[in-house]
Amino acid sequence: MSCKKSYITTPIYYVNDVAHIGHAYTTIIADSLARYSRLIGEDTYFLTGTDEHGQKIEESAKSRGREPQEYADEVSKKFRDLWDDFNISYDKFIRTTDAEHKKGAQKAFSVMNKKGDVYKDTYQGHYCISCETFFPELQLVDGEFCPDCGKSTSVVEEESYFFKLSAYEDRLLAWYRDNPNCILPKSKRNEVIRFVEGGLNDLSITRTSFDWGVKLPKEFNEPKHVMYVWLDALMNYVTALGYGTDDKNMDYWPARVHLIGKDILRFHAIYWPAFLMSLDLPLPKHIGAHGWWTRNGEKMSKSKGNVVNPKEVADAYGLENFRYFMLREVPFGGDGDFSQRALMDRINSDLGNDLGNLVNRLMGMSRKYFEGRVESDLVKKYYQKELDEVQLSLDKLEPFIFELQLHRFLEELWRPLTVANRAIDKYQPWTMIKEGKSDETMALNGLIATILAKVSIMLHAVMPKTTDSIAKSLGFEISPESFEKYIRNDEVLASFTMEKRDALFPRIEKELLVDKHLEALKKEKEEREAKEAKKREAEKNGTTTDGIALIGIEQFFQTSIKIGTVVKAEEVKKSKKLLLLQVDIGEEYTRQIVAGIKEWYSAEDILNTQVCVVANLKPAKLMGMKSEGMLLAAKDGDGLCLIRPEKPKSNGTSIS
Ligand code: MSP
């Protein structure tokens, strides 16, 4: 499987968002592959970068009152800073606003045109700005919404250049058929095949309704057109190597693997190979599509407030522990739910108990019995069976890496650690030493050290600094040379003296990050439950939730409420509160009502307006005046208002 040049890429990230663990995941997988590829002595080139053109970025910048270029500069730098902080070993960080990239993309456009693959027409259809994708009406959900992200699409009718994608259907199908591993995992390849077999439409590859994009080559003389952002973006994989400018690194092409998320598979597995065929360039060896990281089963999104910040996780739990967790926890291609509990378990169990503890045991045994000295000369004599078992596991590992089965890789890599821990329990060095079996004990330490060395080398791509530190304690350095020696040639570790060292993976007892999202969910749940409990309690007591006794309908009808019109209104001189009203409620005589509403209504305000009157109240006296009813009103912090019919109603109409 090994090839001399190894070109590994991540997607280029849109600059309309900050990085979350989904972005970190793609980048960490790619970084691990690149590191592994370098370790086995391949000439490796690792590319990442940012995707900066298109309507989505233009609109994002505008909504913040910024120029797109200035905005893209800022967000692109954030990605780059994060990857630097994460020790990502990229060889080039490309930006689609780089002059060389734009030149290369224009060159590609010209070449496709000369090939006869480009023609001008009118595009009529629907565009999802969020996915930067065109959709035929048939694919829309409810005739409007994007089938991928669910957001509303906009109707576009504009002059456009098209790429003859339909002409590549057969060649694409032949490529998938002849290269069973071209799309990984294989289940994804089947999805792509089914999609292409369903028929491909030609692809609109220019836009005229905005201008934040790569201009068309001069010979087109089309100042209004910019390149479709996915054409521009996909080209990054070759422009980064000098396509269309100096061709300097084009000998790295074709890519060994393009790592992507499953949401952008169609662009990479259909458009991209078709573009490459049109450009007469070889096709990538593998396209690896991973699944989604979710939160409590939900897709992460800013609006839901459930996005996990990779920097926070790495700062709290350790960057390399986080890397290990991401690659070990989820089978490549499947979705994974992020939880601190699962992360802690991996750290405490796999890393702490299995690996860290073994280093500790070796340190303890070698220092107690041999002043730290570890010699492996006799390992083969006493422990060949264990060595063979370890080698068997190691031999299985490499295919897992390049078939992107990183969880299997790590799972298998843990077997030698089990062999080592089991050997200690089985041979009991504390008994052997008492029995004077010094050689056997030393050889056992040599076996443990050899196993730790081999595992560290293989784990290096995933946990570079941690394994460097283990290697230092074991007196060697991880490099292509030590890979050759200890992995390929199956040698035992050279003698060394083990110094005292700190524990590698201190136990984590409780979650280290306050999970704001979970806390908010918890609070919401508590509030909901409290409300429900209150409701149940009220039902039990025969009251409303604010403690008012429930009544039957017959009790309600004992109150007679009627519409009336105020036919006379005067202020009660000596009172700040009272108005004296005569209200016609459809009876022979008007009712006299003394109402405490003077603070909010003048006599003039209320005269000739309709009100609701409680008509069967026993008359009462207020300031010596008889009151034969009560007006309905509502009062809150803002004051009082009368309750009135929405439309005029005959006086005397009953309210029910
Ligand atoms: N700009 C395009 C890629 C162009 S490549 C020529 C793009 N950018 S992106 O920033 O939206 O996404 C970049 C990568 O992050 C994609 O591979 C996507 O699948 C991945 N992820 C984004 N959210 C994710 C999760 N929640 N989980 C895992 N990965 C996801 O698409």
Side-chain angles (χ1 to χ4, degrees):
M1 191 80 193
S2 140
C3 67
K4 250 183 94 232
K5 300 254 178 207
S6 179
Y7 180 34
I8 291 162
T9 68
T10 73
I12 45 174
Y13 301 102
Y14 282 132
V15 290
N16 67 325
D17 211 350
V18 289
H20 60 63
I21 60 165
H23 303 127
Y25 183 51
T26 326
T27 309
I28 287 169
I29 299 175
D31 183 62
S32 301
L33 294 185
R35 285 175 184 275
Y36 186 79
S37 160
R38 284 189 203 106
L39 187 63
I40 62 175
E42 294 179 345
D43 181 3
T44 306
Y45 199 81
F46 172 21
L47 174 73
T48 188
T50 42
D51 187 354
E52 306 184 9
H53 289 129
Q55 199 168 354
K56 177 160 64 174
I57 310 294
E58 190 183 75
E59 288 184 2
S60 266
K62 251 194 212 149
S63 71
R64 291 168 171 81
R66 312 279 298 277
E67 283 304 313
Q69 184 64 62
E70 175 208 11
Y71 173 62
D73 289 348
E74 183 187 307
V75 184
S76 176
K77 183 172 179 308
K78 282 193 188 150
F79 272 99
R80 194 175 180 145
D81 288 348
L82 178 70
W83 302 149
D84 289 342
D85 198 40
F86 270 24
N87 197 20
I88 299 299
S89 62
Y90 60 84
D91 294 291
K92 184 175 168 81
F93 186 98
I94 192 170
R95 301 183 53 187
T96 51
T97 51
D98 291 341
E100 295 78 17
H101 167 77
K102 290 194 251 184
K103 261 192 215 152
Q106 288 171 332
K107 158 98 186 279
F109 203 96
S110 297
V111 174
M112 289 173 176
N113 185 42
K114 282 190 193 117
K115 188 84 183 278
D117 282 339
V118 175
Y119 65 92
K120 193 170 173 179
D121 203 341
T122 304
Y123 179 80
Q124 277 176 316
H126 302 262
Y127 195 73
C128 171
I129 298 171
S130 179
C131 299
E132 298 281 18
T133 310
F134 300 97
F135 289 102
E137 185 145 10
L138 268 177
Q139 280 183 22
L140 299 182
V141 177
D142 295 338
E144 178 189 342
F145 301 101
C146 171
D148 285 352
C149 73
K151 293 196 180 130
S152 174
T153 56
S154 36
V155 178
V156 172
E157 174 160 3
E158 56 189 48
E159 188 185 83
S160 173
Y161 282 86
F162 283 80
F163 174 75
K164 285 187 191 161
L165 187 63
S166 57
Y168 286 91
E169 236 172 76
D170 292 343
R171 269 173 284 174
L172 284 169
L173 287 169
W175 181 56
Y176 309 137
R177 193 185 52 233
D178 298 343
N179 298 276
N181 283 334
C182 62
I183 298 165
L184 296 168
K186 287 184 188 160
S187 55
K188 293 273 188 289
R189 170 173 157 264
N190 300 337
E191 275 172 30
V192 172
I193 292 178
R194 276 196 299 278
F195 188 90
V196 175
E197 280 174 346
L200 293 175
N201 294 323
D202 288 348
L203 181 68
S204 164
I205 48 167
T206 66
R207 301 288 314 271
T208 55
S209 52
F210 66 96
D211 67 0
W212 182 237
V214 180
K215 301 269 176 269
L216 296 203
K218 286 217 178 63
E219 71 262 24
F220 283 83
N221 193 20
E222 290 277 24
K224 280 208 329 256
H225 288 251
V226 293
M227 260 180 232
Y228 171 43
V229 64
W230 269 103
L231 170 61
D232 160 9
L234 287 162
M235 284 303 152
N236 93 89
Y237 298 130
V238 287
T239 61
L241 301 177
Y243 178 84
T245 50
D246 59 8
D247 279 343
K248 196 164 133 226
N249 284 318
M250 277 304 280
D251 51 352
Y252 282 104
W253 189 256
R256 173 179 215 146
V257 52
H258 291 309
L259 272 159
I260 57 166
K262 62 180 181 182
D263 52 320
I264 54 174
L265 180 60
R266 204 181 317 150
F267 304 96
H268 284 79
I270 302 174
Y271 299 175
W272 181 225
F275 293 157
L276 288 167
M277 287 175 190
S278 178
L279 298 174
D280 288 318
L281 287 172
L283 305 192
K285 297 227 163 45
H286 307 288
I287 296 165
H290 64 66
W292 286 88
W293 280 93
T294 55
R295 264 327 267 305
N296 309 307
E298 288 189 327
K299 200 172 149 183
M300 271 183 270
S301 79
K302 257 200 288 190
S303 55
K304 281 194 201 131
N306 62 355
V307 170
V308 181
N309 177 337
K311 173 96 174 85
E312 269 175 27
V313 179
D315 285 350
Y317 289 93
L319 170 65
E320 300 201 350
N321 299 346
F322 175 49
R323 284 172 68 108
Y324 172 81
F325 163 76
M326 292 205 106
L327 303 194
R328 175 66 184 85
E329 188 70 7
V330 184
F332 186 85
D335 291 343
D337 205 54
F338 179 83
S339 89
Q340 291 191 70
R341 187 47 49 201
L343 172 56
M344 279 165 62
D345 285 349
R346 287 279 171 209
I347 296 175
N348 288 339
S349 159
D350 300 11
L351 296 176
N353 291 350
D354 301 342
L355 176 60
N357 211 16
L358 190 63
V359 175
N360 253 347
R361 288 177 104 176
L362 177 67
M363 182 172 75
M365 294 188 302
S366 63
R367 292 179 64 80
K368 191 161 173 198
Y369 308 139
F370 306 106
E371 290 166 344
R373 196 71 198 143
V374 180
E375 286 165 9
S376 310
D377 316 341
L378 297 176
V379 175
K380 289 191 170 162
K381 178 171 172 200
Y382 292 110
Y383 304 107
Q384 188 60 48
K385 210 168 91 295
E386 281 78 8
L387 280 178
D388 289 344
E389 205 179 332
V390 166
Q391 197 57 34
L392 202 68
S393 281
L394 296 177
D395 288 344
K396 285 190 198 154
L397 288 174
E398 196 160 297
F400 288 140
I401 278 248
F402 288 113
E403 282 168 18
L404 303 177
Q405 300 201 49
L406 293 150
H407 69 294
R408 292 287 312 278
F409 172 83
L410 291 170
E411 196 181 23
E412 193 64 39
L413 182 55
W414 249 239
R415 284 192 212 288
L417 298 177
T418 311
V419 173
N421 278 311
R422 230 178 31 213
I424 300 177
D425 298 341
K426 177 173 168 197
Y427 297 108
Q428 303 193 338
W430 49 92
T431 314
M432 287 202 293
I433 203 86
K434 271 194 214 138
E435 291 168 352
K437 293 179 179 162
S438 177
D439 279 359
E440 286 90 327
T441 312
M442 178 59 101
L444 182 68
N445 285 356
L447 171 74
I448 308 302
T450 297
I451 293 177
L452 277 170
K454 290 176 194 260
V455 169
S456 299
I457 294 171
M458 293 308 282
L459 185 60
H460 186 66
V462 179
M463 305 185 76
K465 288 196 173 148
T466 311
T467 49
D468 275 344
S469 149
I470 299 177
K472 189 160 176 262
S473 294
L474 302 178
F476 81 107
E477 262 178 34
I478 299 177
S479 64
E481 291 71 40
S482 53
F483 183 90
E484 201 57 28
K485 200 164 159 191
Y486 296 123
I487 303 295
R488 295 251 188 271
N489 298 339
D490 192 15
E491 289 186 25
V492 291
L493 186 63
S495 303
F496 66 99
T497 301
M498 193 152 181
E499 306 291 339
K500 230 176 136 60
R501 59 156 306 141
D502 292 338
L504 278 157
F505 309 101
R507 212 180 153 73
I508 300 173
E509 300 292 353
K510 60 175 184 21
E511 293 186 1
L512 300 176
L513 286 174
V514 179
D515 190 329
K516 292 191 200 105
H517 177 60
L518 271 191
E519 290 217 327
L521 286 182
K522 217 168 108 195
K523 197 163 154 228
E524 219 175 79
K525 191 168 164 238
E526 280 167 8
E527 282 170 4
R528 204 177 45 240
E529 282 172 359
K531 270 190 203 152
E532 278 162 10
K534 205 167 161 193
K535 204 164 156 218
R536 278 197 303 274
E537 181 70 12
E539 272 166 18
K540 209 173 81 196
N541 297 339
T543 67
T544 62
T545 47
D546 42 9
I548 301 170
L550 297 178
I551 57 169
I553 189 90
E554 62 300 335
Q555 266 173 292
F556 175 73
F557 282 125
Q558 283 173 10
T559 312
S560 158
I561 309 173
K562 289 188 172 169
I563 302 290
T565 301
V566 180
V567 292
K568 193 171 171 204
E570 53 193 297
E571 293 181 4
V572 177
K573 290 268 157 39
K574 279 184 217 143
S575 164
K576 272 191 201 155
K577 293 191 175 156
L578 301 179
L579 292 182
L580 181 62
L581 311 173
Q582 295 297 328
V583 185
D584 177 354
I585 58 165
E587 295 169 338
E588 220 168 310
Y589 301 98
T590 57
R591 292 280 183 112
Q592 170 164 298
I593 296 177
V594 182
I597 58 174
K598 195 169 160 187
E599 282 176 67
W600 299 282
Y601 293 89
S602 67
E604 205 182 318
D605 287 338
I606 198 168
L607 187 64
N608 295 327
T609 64
Q610 285 205 303
V611 289
C612 300
V613 177
V614 180
N616 60 340
L617 270 185
K618 284 186 187 148
K621 276 203 166 174
L622 279 124
M623 290 185 75
M625 293 169 290
K626 190 173 179 197
S627 185
E628 302 165 309
M630 192 180 85
L631 303 191
L632 289 192
K635 191 172 162 197
D636 66 7
D638 288 338
L640 173 144
C641 77
L642 289 167
I643 309 297
R644 303 173 184 280
E646 193 194 356
K647 290 184 202 142
K649 282 277 151 198
S650 320
N651 292 336
T653 307
S654 281
I655 295 178
S656 56

